[in-house]
């Protein structure tokens, strides 16, 4: 499977030529491709934990799968789930295994929206932002849910602008290997990491857009989080 229509990592980078001080022309496209391949190889060499389910509240889990060249073993791909609903889903994952995914008929978005319903579970709204139809989204959700490795689950949440004490505490109580990306520099729990992008210029999706401050290539703001180390050991830290 390949990711489709993802903001940031799937942006088109066209070849451009630059004139050096002595009039020499050179293309940056080869260097970009080389650095992209180098990053991929280095990540794969470091990765020790590959048969893994990554649950995330937005596209970041899918991006990590994509950047590591792994099969999607998680239903939370190419979508958005509110933080409270996401925590509810993660805490009661087995209960939602047989939940029915129905289309939200009151949806006025340009993309399909579904609701997980069932007995003794809280309804959870899922925004399938990168799917053409609800039917496609439902098929992929069910297919990928069946691949979950319950013995090897990692949870990643981008709290970002929604960071607050209540959500931080609820997320901290999740009984899986976990990491949360927050918008305040003071981390309260060991699973938290601050990435300095949540300012007046912040737009949704910036975390998975190209990090222009880190030089040429296709490194994302997300790459400031050492997710390979996290998947291997559960340790949450910045990329060295």
């Amino acid at each position: 499977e390949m990711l489709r229509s993802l903001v940031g990592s799937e942006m088109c980078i066209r070849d451009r030529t630059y004139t050096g001080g002595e009039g020499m022309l050179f293309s940056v496209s080869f260097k970009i491709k080389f650095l992209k391949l180098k990053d991929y190889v280095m990540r794969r060499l470091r990765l020790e934990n590959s048969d893994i389910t990554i649950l995330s509240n937005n596209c970041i889990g899918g991006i990590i799968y994509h950047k590591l060249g792994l099969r999607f073993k998680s239903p939370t791909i190419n979508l958005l789930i509110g933080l409270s609903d996401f925590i509810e889903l993660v805490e009661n994952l087995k209960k939602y295994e047989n939940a029915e995914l129905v289309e939200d008929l009151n949806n006025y978005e340009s993309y399909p929206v579904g609701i997980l319903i069932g007995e003794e579970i809280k309804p959870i709204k899922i925004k399938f932002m990168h799917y053409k139809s609800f039917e496609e989204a439902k098929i992929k959700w069910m297919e990928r849910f069946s691949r979950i490795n319950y013995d090897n689950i990692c949870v990643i949440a981008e709290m970002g602008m929604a960071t607050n004490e209540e959500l931080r505490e609820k997320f901290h109580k999740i009984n899986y290997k976990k990491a949360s990306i927050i918008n305040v520099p003071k981390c309260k729990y060991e699973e938290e990491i601050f990435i300095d992008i949540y300012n007046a210029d912040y737009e949704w999706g910036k975390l998975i857009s190209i990090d222009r401050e880190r030089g040429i290539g296709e490194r994302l703001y997300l790459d400031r989080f050492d997710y390979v180390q996290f998947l291997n050991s559960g340790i949450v830290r910045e990329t060295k």
Side-chain angles (χ1 to χ4, degrees):
E1 291 175 287
M2 297 296 290
L3 293 179
R4 295 181 293 105
S5 306
L6 287 175
V7 176
S9 70
E10 298 299 307
M11 291 172 65
C12 178
I13 300 177
R14 294 182 174 85
D15 290 354
R16 292 187 290 270
T17 55
Y18 292 82
T19 304
E22 298 179 355
M24 181 178 63
L25 295 177
F26 64 93
S27 172
V28 299
S29 64
F30 175 78
K31 189 172 183 180
I32 289 172
K33 291 175 183 176
F34 172 78
L35 290 174
K36 184 178 180 181
L37 177 60
K38 179 183 175 183
D39 284 349
Y40 168 74
V41 171
M42 294 302 293
R43 284 191 295 265
R44 283 308 303 259
L45 287 174
R46 292 179 58 216
L47 184 66
E48 301 167 356
N49 185 19
S50 57
D51 185 20
I52 190 167
T53 287
I54 304 171
L55 300 174
S56 62
N57 64 315
N58 58 21
C59 295
I60 58 179
I63 290 285
I64 291 172
Y65 273 117
H66 182 63
K67 289 172 77 68
L68 293 174
L70 300 177
R71 190 184 190 201
F72 297 147
K73 293 192 174 183
S74 166
T76 59
I77 304 294
N78 290 355
L79 49 74
L80 175 65
I81 305 175
L83 277 168
S84 292
D85 278 355
F86 176 66
I87 294 171
E88 180 74 18
L89 172 66
V90 171
E91 288 180 328
N92 301 281
L93 197 57
K94 279 283 189 179
K95 291 184 178 180
Y96 283 95
E97 191 172 31
N98 297 315
E100 183 181 3
L101 181 62
V102 299
E103 187 170 9
D104 182 1
L105 299 178
N106 296 317
N107 172 39
Y108 296 101
E109 303 288 356
S110 59
Y111 46 80
V113 176
I115 302 175
L116 284 174
I117 60 172
E119 295 183 5
E120 299 182 357
I121 58 172
K122 176 186 174 184
I124 288 180
K125 181 176 287 191
I126 306 171
K127 298 181 178 182
F128 294 100
M129 302 172 68
H130 301 289
Y131 293 85
K132 295 179 180 178
S133 68
F134 174 74
E135 289 72 24
E136 177 195 16
K138 183 174 182 177
I139 290 171
K140 288 299 181 182
W141 174 269
M142 295 172 64
E143 178 184 303
R144 291 166 181 161
F145 208 114
S146 69
R147 299 179 194 159
I148 290 177
N149 181 355
Y150 285 98
D151 295 322
N152 193 6
I153 291 176
C154 285
V155 183
I156 305 175
E158 181 187 3
M159 292 197 175
M161 302 300 284
T163 302
N164 63 55
E165 289 300 316
E166 181 182 0
L167 287 174
R168 290 170 79 178
E169 185 174 351
K170 287 180 68 176
F171 188 82
H172 177 65
K173 293 178 180 178
I174 290 175
N175 193 28
Y176 292 116
K177 191 185 297 183
K178 55 189 176 289
S180 60
I181 300 165
I182 60 175
N183 74 336
V184 290
K186 188 175 182 180
C187 295
K188 183 177 180 180
Y189 302 110
E190 61 182 6
E191 70 267 11
E192 295 181 340
I193 182 171
F194 169 63
I195 297 181
D196 190 14
I197 60 172
Y198 304 100
N199 48 41
D201 298 325
Y202 173 78
E203 293 181 357
W204 182 253
K206 186 172 182 179
L207 186 65
I208 55 174
S209 62
I210 293 177
D211 187 350
R212 301 297 182 187
E213 299 175 25
R214 297 293 174 98
I216 196 169
E218 289 195 354
R219 292 176 184 167
L220 313 179
Y221 288 101
L222 174 62
D223 291 321
R224 297 185 185 187
F225 165 42
D226 190 349
Y227 47 81
V228 175
Q229 177 66 38
F230 167 67
L231 297 179
N232 285 340
S233 66
I235 295 173
V236 177
R237 70 181 187 189
E238 292 186 25
T239 302
K240 294 181 180 179

